[in-house]
Amino acid sequence: MSELSAAFVRLHARLAPVAFVPEVRLHQADEPIGLWELTEGEFRSAQPPPFWAFAWAGGQGLARHVTDHPELVAGRRVLDLAAGSGLVAIAAARAGARSVRAVEIDERAVAAVALNAEANGVRVDAELGDILDSDAGDAEVVLAGDVFYSEAMARRMLRFLLRAARTGGARVLVGDPGRAFLPRERFRELAAYDVPVPEGLESVRVKRTTVWELDPAPPGATR
């Protein structure tokens, strides 16, 4: 974890309970627009947006589901993909996962995951890198919160998740608040929640959020 990135997280976000998963505390920004503009400014071409600074609806819904159903991850190796703040990874660790790997492409997010895991007294292996063209390693459960927010990301994400399920045999769970690029035909619904969200991010105070399980079979295949 970069000390500079960790200092940035501590400076611009404060530790507070997550609205829909109050069992977990995260470093969260009080005001989204200012931090978004700050991170875009000087680093517009290279620095990812500060997704790590907010508890997004998909992640909150998925973390709530894992917390309420610990049997999904207990004793299993878990991968949290595009982990952001690490909320879902931390929920899995608290639920008794054997190990938890949280992967992010943003160095500040990796720092946030490490700081947040420490604050919650759990172990999460935070990793910097883009693994979407690779595989899920030895993960038995793959978790992804709010990852279908763009067409390009959705295409890469679906290919990765299908490989994880078909080749690696992983169970794949996704939390999504109705993003436009979620390929719903590839998933089956497990649960739905009304999740409180920052109005400055979503223009609403509550987002209906669904937890889905990936069906690795090709569309139209006989089951």
Side-chain angles (χ1 to χ4, degrees):
M1 174 175 56
S2 160
E3 286 301 321
L4 187 61
S5 292
F8 186 92
V9 172
R10 292 190 187 99
L11 179 63
H12 294 285
R14 65 182 179 86
L15 198 61
V18 175
F20 200 57
V21 196
E23 301 93 329
V24 176
R25 297 187 303 155
L26 298 178
H27 287 82
Q28 302 171 70
D30 290 321
E31 198 284 307
I33 303 305
L35 180 58
W36 210 281
E37 291 176 345
L38 174 66
T39 55
E40 279 192 339
E42 182 180 354
F43 305 101
R44 185 173 300 275
S45 62
Q47 185 64 39
F51 294 127
W52 56 266
F54 312 101
W56 297 85
Q60 288 197 68
L62 186 53
R64 179 76 268 159
H65 193 70
V66 167
T67 298
D68 292 344
H69 301 276
E71 70 278 3
L72 293 170
V73 298
R76 294 178 170 87
R77 295 181 294 271
V78 173
L79 169 63
D80 180 13
L81 196 58
S85 65
L87 169 58
V88 177
I90 291 165
R94 293 184 73 256
R98 177 180 173 184
S99 64
V100 183
R101 176 188 177 204
V103 179
E104 252 293 344
I105 63 168
D106 182 355
E107 185 175 327
R108 290 172 183 165
V110 172
V113 171
L115 291 172
N116 290 333
E118 181 180 9
N120 286 277
V122 297
R123 177 176 176 176
V124 171
D125 296 320
E127 177 183 325
L128 179 67
D130 182 345
I131 66 169
L132 290 185
D133 294 325
S134 181
D135 58 46
D138 64 357
E140 298 168 277
V141 180
V142 177
L143 304 174
D146 226 327
V147 294
F148 292 98
Y149 51 81
S150 76
E151 186 174 7
M153 178 69 164
R155 285 198 302 268
R156 295 188 69 210
M157 182 62 64
L158 180 61
R159 288 195 295 266
F160 178 93
L161 297 178
L162 286 170
R163 282 198 304 275
R166 291 173 176 172
T167 305
R171 187 174 186 183
V172 176
L173 304 182
V174 167
D176 187 87
R179 302 299 184 202
F181 299 102
L182 173 73
R184 289 171 179 78
E185 70 280 1
R186 307 309 296 262
F187 293 86
R188 65 181 184 91
E189 181 176 333
L190 296 183
Y193 305 97
D194 291 321
V195 178
V197 292
E199 190 172 10
L201 284 179
E202 301 280 12
S203 301
V204 295
R205 294 184 181 275
V206 175
K207 292 280 286 187
R208 186 68 172 173
T209 299
T210 304
V211 175
W212 305 90
E213 180 169 6
L214 179 67
D215 182 352
T222 302
R223 293 171 175 79

